[in-house]
Amino acid sequence: MTTRKEQLKKHIMAAGKQTPADVVIKNGRIIDVFNLEIIEGDVAISDGMFVGIGEFEGKQIIDAKGRYVCPAFIDGHVHIESSMISPAEFAKVVLPHGVTTVITDPHEIANVSGAEGIQYMLENAEDIPLDVRVMLPSCVPATPFENAGAELHAADLEPFFQHKRVHGLAEVMDYPSVLHAENSMLDKITTTLTHRNQIDGHLAGLDTNAINVYKSAGITTDHECTTASEALDRIRRGMYVLIREGSVAKDLQSLIQAVTIHNARRFLFCTDDKHLDDLIKEGSIDHNVRLAIQYGISPLLAIQMASLNAAECYGLHTKGAIAPGFEGDFLLLDDLESVIISEVFRGGTLVGKNGMYVGEELCKNQPLPQLTETVHIPELTEKDLQIPIGESKQAHIIGIIPNQLRTYKLIENVQVKDGYFCPSVEADQLKMIVVERHKHTGNIGKGIVKGFRLKEGAIATTIAHDSHNIVATGTNDYDMQVAVRALKQLKGGLVIVKNGAILQALPLPIAGLMSEKDFHTVNTELSMLKKTLPQIGFTGNFNPFLTLSFLTLPVIPALKLTDTGLFDVEQFMHIEVAVQAPPLHQNIIDSYIHGDTHV
């Protein structure tokens, strides 16, 4: 094995032209992300590191043929589990899109399987061409108002800091614990600062006082901004802002308005949660770059945000640029404006070409049995799904916002039968349930949702952020029961049911979140699922499964549903579904005001 000293000597000898470099790129237009300009020259690579720009000879010559030599992209925050494939398969998808490094938070699988889930993600990402840097989950469970499959404390996380690819503490979602300096949260933060110096934030809907609190706690990033003014508030207080463009949360068009030549170095890109089909169709961070250019950011600045800015934000001092001493991760672009990627190199080795993965075959062991037996639920009855409604016949309703994580808190008149809520296709009021699947509690959270516009049947999934209990919505109780039962048999996944029959399903047996199959197969199954949705009347321009999976997240306003009930995020407390009728004397007064003199 080559020692550090021997490697350093080789770099110096190649940089000084005393020995040939391993690889030399010739005839390329080099993107200089430091000065935001295009320069010309040869680029020399030795042992996977850039060692010089100028005139060089090498053992292998790459003729760029006038194409742009661009630093590879970095995804600043991603949950690999949201792609529904393993890290090794995920690498095959994003590498051809120019992403060679990801900062990932495995809190999805950790909420199901705890430390074993984190260990699986680390092991599956070992020795693959994608550099997977892991931020340890900070909030498992996300809040005390729901039941997850595990609890992780500072003592559970600390051993993972011995792993070279563990990079810090992931998005701190529990703002009240930070604000009140609760010991459990302080233990996680101080443990991280002892071993690393990177802590991510999660400031959804929070004001400037909260930014002050987070920043004073050593938390330096936020990916939950949805407006330009929110982004600027964070930048003013020294944070980095991650501009997110995922499958549901699409914030780039709004946030890019905050980027100027003066503050751009504090912005970077992320995908957060992006489905496999969207990654294949649109791309990963390359899609963010293209969108930024479309909305008026110069191509060189957009590329700087996707590479150097992300590297500096996360202390990756040898990534993000075409320059000596940096890792030899680069792209060859056919066109700068449209960011057409023809080839992708990781450490000087070709891994992607014309949208296809061309690296070595990645063979990984199957997950341990305990990761594939995670759906533990009782048999549901119709009585279990009933939602009592008071005399007012009004209810609190979750109003979805297409392609947004936030929801509306609505109050509407609802259809009632025998004192219980009855779904209404005409009013677009569907029943929604969250069934606890980890600890045999028997908990079933029940609520009403508006915006899916299903005409028949039901959909259900074991992907339900962040605790990942079963979540279902539908037009009738029977189809919802069938859907939940099917997920138990599948060991997790996504399912569409109509008239008691399973129309289409996608099994996700790894923690109920990921498939053990290759990404091509999973993408085909996803496509079949999407083609089936019109059979139950879905015609929306959003992903209903992904939207449903975020309606259980009790850290993003305004109204969400957990296994313990309907949760008002703004009040940070559970509320009843039924809106209580006003007192009798108030009814009399209201009736009199409206002209009923017979009361």
Side-chain angles (χ1 to χ4, degrees):
M1 180 180 290
T2 305
T3 66
R4 183 70 179 271
K5 182 178 179 180
E6 290 170 336
Q7 190 178 53
L8 183 61
K9 180 179 179 179
K10 183 177 179 181
H11 291 169
I12 293 171
M13 296 293 283
K17 304 180 183 179
Q18 300 170 73
T19 59
D22 293 334
V23 178
V24 173
I25 309 165
K26 290 183 175 289
N27 304 316
R29 291 182 279 181
I30 304 162
I31 295 176
D32 173 6
V33 289
F34 300 108
N35 294 297
L36 298 183
E37 61 181 8
I38 306 295
I39 60 176
E40 294 185 357
D42 300 337
V43 182
I45 301 172
S46 183
D47 271 351
M49 300 289 291
F50 293 122
V51 295
I53 297 173
E55 294 184 9
F56 288 90
E57 296 302 321
K59 301 171 186 175
Q60 176 189 350
I61 302 297
I62 297 174
D63 186 355
K65 298 178 181 178
R67 290 172 290 181
Y68 295 92
V69 183
C70 172
F73 301 145
I74 299 170
D75 191 334
H77 177 75
V78 61
H79 303 288
I80 292 175
E81 303 99 307
S82 292
S83 70
M84 296 179 284
I85 51 178
S86 68
E89 286 298 310
F90 180 79
K92 297 177 185 177
V93 176
V94 300
L95 281 166
H97 288 285
V99 176
T100 60
T101 302
V102 298
I103 312 296
T104 188
D105 171 11
H107 79 200
E108 316 295 1
I109 195 169
N111 267 285
V112 178
S113 302
E116 288 181 339
I118 299 173
Q119 189 63 39
Y120 166 75
M121 298 298 280
L122 284 166
E123 290 178 358
N124 194 267
E126 201 70 42
D127 299 321
I128 64 175
L130 182 69
D131 188 358
V132 178
R133 301 297 178 103
V134 171
M135 305 290 280
L136 297 177
S138 64
C139 300
V140 177
T143 71
F145 305 106
E146 57 187 330
N147 288 284
E151 290 185 20
L152 291 178
H153 303 284
D156 303 310
L157 300 176
E158 187 163 25
F160 284 106
F161 283 111
Q162 303 306 313
H163 197 288
K164 63 182 180 180
R165 285 189 290 104
V166 169
H167 202 68
L169 191 66
E171 52 182 317
V172 177
M173 296 179 283
D174 190 356
Y175 173 61
S177 291
V178 181
L179 176 64
H180 300 300
E182 293 182 2
N183 284 331
S184 59
M185 181 56 69
L186 293 185
D187 287 342
K188 292 174 185 176
I189 291 174
T190 53
T191 298
T192 301
L193 294 175
T194 299
H195 296 280
R196 302 287 191 271
N197 194 34
Q198 189 67 48
I199 306 176
D200 282 339
H202 183 286
L203 285 72
L206 299 181
D207 60 16
T208 53
N209 290 326
I211 306 172
N212 295 334
V213 170
Y214 267 102
K215 194 64 172 61
S216 296
I219 297 166
T220 56
T221 73
D222 184 35
H223 62 276
E224 291 292 341
C225 299
T226 59
T227 67
S229 62
E230 286 181 336
L232 291 174
D233 282 338
R234 285 146 180 75
I235 298 294
R236 290 185 184 107
R237 288 160 180 80
M239 277 191 154
Y240 281 91
V241 169
L242 282 67
I243 299 178
R244 172 175 58 189
E245 192 73 13
S247 286
V248 170
K250 300 178 184 293
D251 304 317
L252 189 143
Q253 183 176 2
S254 175
L255 296 185
I256 209 70
Q257 310 304 319
V259 179
T260 71
I261 196 67
H262 304 292
N263 65 15
R265 294 305 302 278
R266 306 300 286 189
F267 287 93
L268 55 148
F269 296 122
C270 76
T271 58
D272 197 3
D273 294 281
K274 197 158 188 179
H275 263 201
L276 175 62
D277 50 352
D278 289 333
L279 286 168
I280 292 172
K281 181 178 66 175
E282 293 179 345
S284 176
I285 296 301
D286 57 322
H287 178 60
N288 295 46
V289 173
R290 279 189 287 271
L291 282 180
I293 294 169
Q294 289 176 24
Y295 290 120
I297 299 296
S298 74
L300 296 185
L301 185 59
I303 288 168
Q304 183 194 64
M305 292 166 65
S307 54
L308 184 63
N309 291 10
E312 290 185 345
C313 172
Y314 285 97
L316 302 172
H317 303 300
T318 60
K319 292 179 181 287
I322 311 293
F326 284 73
E327 295 176 37
D329 302 345
F330 67 96
L331 323 175
L332 293 180
L333 303 181
D334 289 343
D335 182 77
L336 194 58
E337 292 282 340
S338 53
V339 195
I340 298 174
I341 302 170
S342 58
E343 295 179 29
V344 181
F345 293 80
R346 170 85 167 99
T349 299
L350 182 67
V351 293
K353 187 170 184 176
N354 298 325
M356 302 293 292
Y357 174 73
V358 296
E360 295 181 1
E361 183 56 38
L362 306 176
C363 298
K364 293 294 177 178
N365 295 329
Q366 292 299 308
L368 296 172
Q370 54 264 41
L371 292 180
T372 59
E373 299 289 342
T374 63
V375 182
H376 311 290
I377 58 171
E379 191 66 30
L380 300 185
T381 67
E382 287 190 15
K383 186 177 180 181
D384 293 327
L385 305 189
Q386 290 178 338
I387 304 175
I389 299 296
E391 293 181 5
S392 72
K393 295 186 179 180
Q394 288 189 323
H396 294 109
I397 295 177
I398 301 171
I400 68 171
I401 306 172
N403 301 313
Q404 289 282 328
L405 300 186
R406 301 185 184 197
T407 65
Y408 295 121
K409 178 183 176 181
L410 306 175
I411 295 178
E412 293 183 356
N413 292 324
V414 296
Q415 188 170 282
V416 178
K417 183 178 180 181
D418 299 327
Y420 298 104
F421 167 71
C422 184
S424 170
V425 170
E426 293 75 21
D428 188 26
Q429 296 169 347
L430 305 183
K431 185 174 288 186
M432 176 180 166
I433 60 171
V434 176
V435 183
E436 195 279 325
R437 71 167 170 112
H438 306 294
K439 300 176 180 176
H440 302 280
T441 65
N443 285 355
I444 303 174
K446 291 164 281 191
I448 304 170
V449 65
K450 186 182 186 74
F452 282 101
R453 298 192 177 279
L454 302 185
K455 303 303 182 186
E456 299 178 271
I459 61 174
T461 176
T462 46
I463 301 174
H465 301 277
D466 281 322
S467 291
H468 297 292
N469 291 302
I470 291 176
V471 60
T473 189
T475 61
N476 66 88
D477 290 353
Y478 180 62
D479 281 343
M480 292 174 72
Q481 287 175 263
V482 172
V484 171
R485 192 181 307 125
L487 291 177
K488 182 177 182 179
Q489 295 170 347
L490 293 171
K491 300 183 178 182
L494 295 80
V495 64
I496 302 172
V497 172
K498 177 181 174 181
N499 297 330
I502 300 171
L503 299 184
Q504 197 63 239
L506 169 57
L508 300 174
I510 303 176
L513 303 174
M514 294 180 287
S515 174
E516 77 281 21
K517 299 175 184 175
D518 66 89
F519 81 86
H520 292 292
T521 301
V522 177
N523 189 51
T524 299
E525 293 175 339
L526 262 178
S527 178
M528 293 300 297
L529 207 67
K530 186 178 293 186
K531 290 178 181 177
T532 304
L533 283 168
Q535 294 185 37
I536 58 172
F538 179 77
T539 58
N541 62 346
F542 59 94
N543 185 319
F545 280 103
L546 202 53
T547 299
L548 183 64
S549 73
F550 280 104
L551 296 185
T552 61
L553 186 56
V555 293
I556 295 181
L559 203 58
K560 297 297 173 74
L561 183 67
T562 76
D563 69 297
T564 55
L566 191 62
F567 192 76
D568 188 321
V569 182
E570 291 163 344
Q571 297 184 62
F572 224 66
M573 60 181 286
H574 285 102
I575 61 173
E576 295 293 329
V577 175
V579 175
Q580 298 302 312
L584 178 60
H585 68 276
Q586 186 63 50
N587 283 334
I588 294 173
I589 294 170
D590 289 345
S591 297
Y592 184 80
I593 290 172
H594 288 92
D596 186 355
T597 59
H598 297 288
V599 296

